[in-house]
Amino acid sequence: MNIVTLLPFIVLIGAMVLMTRSAKKKQQQAAAMRDQMQPGTGIRTIGGMYATVKEVGDDTVLLEVAPGVHAVYAKNAVAAVLEDAEYNSIVHGTDFDGGELKSGTPVVPDDASSLTAADRPAAGDEPVVDLGKDAADERPAGDAAGEPSGDSEAADAGKAAEADKKDDGGTGAK
């Protein structure tokens, strides 16, 4: 046999061997990463959910996805084991420090029981919200009432659009 005829098969087999080696190496790295999980560790699942590890089993992990809410996941569903600082900055906001962010913004409580009526402003004390509308942006009084405002081209266009509508005879069919 000629070496030229065997060359494509040799190249194909070599590429397959290299691909399986890199895939096996990635699987070993992922397994090593999952083995370093322990209770209290912050993780990200393959679905993008951040949670805290509560228990680690042989093939499963018990995660706390919210305070008091636990879920059982397969170990293979863990995409990344995060460092404490990285997990806290993602879940609690940047520069998390206890109960408040360093910017002074309080953290929203988990339930509404800690909110009181004293925290809310009185009905007359609410700030007025500026929507950015000027008096020039508002419609003339004639347009609001459905009367023509003197702009004959706009009125003609409105009549033409009304004339183009098809009547279904009151059946509601389109």
Side-chain angles (χ1 to χ4, degrees):
M1 284 191 116
N2 192 357
I3 189 78
V4 176
T5 57
L6 292 177
L7 188 62
F9 294 113
I10 294 171
V11 170
L12 185 64
I13 291 172
M16 288 173 51
V17 167
L18 289 176
M19 285 192 294
T20 57
R21 279 188 68 205
S22 73
K24 195 177 283 189
K25 186 176 180 182
K26 285 181 183 178
Q27 285 177 346
Q28 288 173 346
Q29 287 175 342
M33 180 242 346
R34 289 182 189 113
D35 287 340
Q36 69 183 6
M37 279 190 304
Q38 52 189 336
T41 306
I43 59 104
R44 182 182 68 240
T45 66
I46 58 175
M49 181 179 64
Y50 293 90
T52 305
V53 176
K54 287 298 176 185
E55 291 179 16
V56 180
D58 292 335
D59 295 330
T60 61
V61 180
L62 179 67
L63 301 177
E64 184 175 32
V65 295
V69 179
H70 297 90
V72 178
Y73 277 77
K75 271 189 176 180
N76 292 339
V78 175
V81 176
L82 305 173
E83 307 241 344
D84 287 338
E86 181 183 7
Y87 178 76
N88 286 332
S89 69
I90 291 170
V91 173
H92 302 295
T94 56
D95 299 332
F96 184 75
D97 183 30
E100 291 193 3
L101 298 176
K102 287 189 179 176
S103 65
T105 307
V107 176
V108 177
D110 293 333
D111 60 353
S113 65
S114 64
L115 300 176
T116 63
D119 294 340
R120 287 182 268 148
D125 296 341
E126 296 166 350
V128 177
V129 178
D130 181 21
L131 299 176
K133 289 181 87 174
D134 294 335
D137 292 342
E138 306 232 355
R139 285 188 190 174
D143 282 351
E147 300 170 8
S149 63
D151 187 7
S152 62
E153 291 177 11
D156 292 341
K159 289 178 185 176
E162 220 174 296
D164 287 340
K165 290 182 182 177
K166 293 185 179 178
D167 191 329
D168 62 356
T171 61
K174 294 208 177 208

